Amino acid sequence: MTRWLLVLALAIQAPKAEMTRVPQFENERAVSWKSIIPPHTESTLHRHDRYRTVIAIVGGDLTLIGTDGKKTVVKYETGKAYWAAPMPPGEIHKDANETGKTIELIVVENK
């Protein structure tokens, strides 16, 4: 019983994993960052207003969740690059890693 309580106490005290954005570079033409997306984390609501390239360093299935709750799974394959257009006006979403593995992406966004 005591061991179980110790495990529970440690689990409660452990910091919750969060998505991390690590800046890579910025110049007059583009901005880049590395997104580290731990398992079972999600971003805040946001939108993408610019064209961008996404390179999967460590691929995985990223779930995009719209404000209406609709989910779309984007499958990023390790080592592949993807082109993404700006989102339609007024559209926003959040990203969620609903898997058990960390996803790492490099994003290069045109200005």
Side-chain angles (χ1 to χ4, degrees):
M1 179 73 163
T2 304
R3 185 173 186 181
W4 182 84
L5 289 173
L6 178 61
V7 170
L8 180 61
L10 290 173
I12 291 171
Q13 293 177 1
K16 184 179 179 216
E18 294 181 357
M19 291 185 181
T20 305
R21 184 183 272 200
V22 181
Q24 300 296 298
F25 73 84
E26 183 169 3
N27 61 34
E28 63 281 348
R29 292 184 164 208
V31 60
S32 178
W33 62 89
K34 180 179 183 180
S35 289
I36 302 168
I37 310 164
H40 310 293
T41 60
E42 65 180 40
S43 71
T44 58
L45 286 169
H46 64 279
R47 59 176 286 103
H48 300 281
D49 291 320
R50 300 173 178 164
Y51 289 97
R52 65 202 180 284
T53 301
V54 179
I55 302 114
I57 304 302
V58 179
D61 294 345
L62 187 63
T63 302
L64 310 180
I65 305 170
T67 54
D68 60 358
K70 180 183 173 197
K71 293 183 176 185
T72 304
V73 176
V74 179
K75 296 180 180 294
Y76 288 108
E77 187 178 324
T78 298
K80 287 190 75 175
Y82 301 84
W83 178 251
M87 295 172 71
E91 188 174 303
I92 60 175
H93 73 256
K94 60 184 171 180
D95 304 317
N97 181 353
E98 298 179 332
T99 74
K101 297 182 178 181
T102 297
I103 298 169
E104 294 185 21
L105 307 172
I106 296 286
V107 180
V108 181
E109 185 177 77
N110 296 350
K111 286 189 177 180

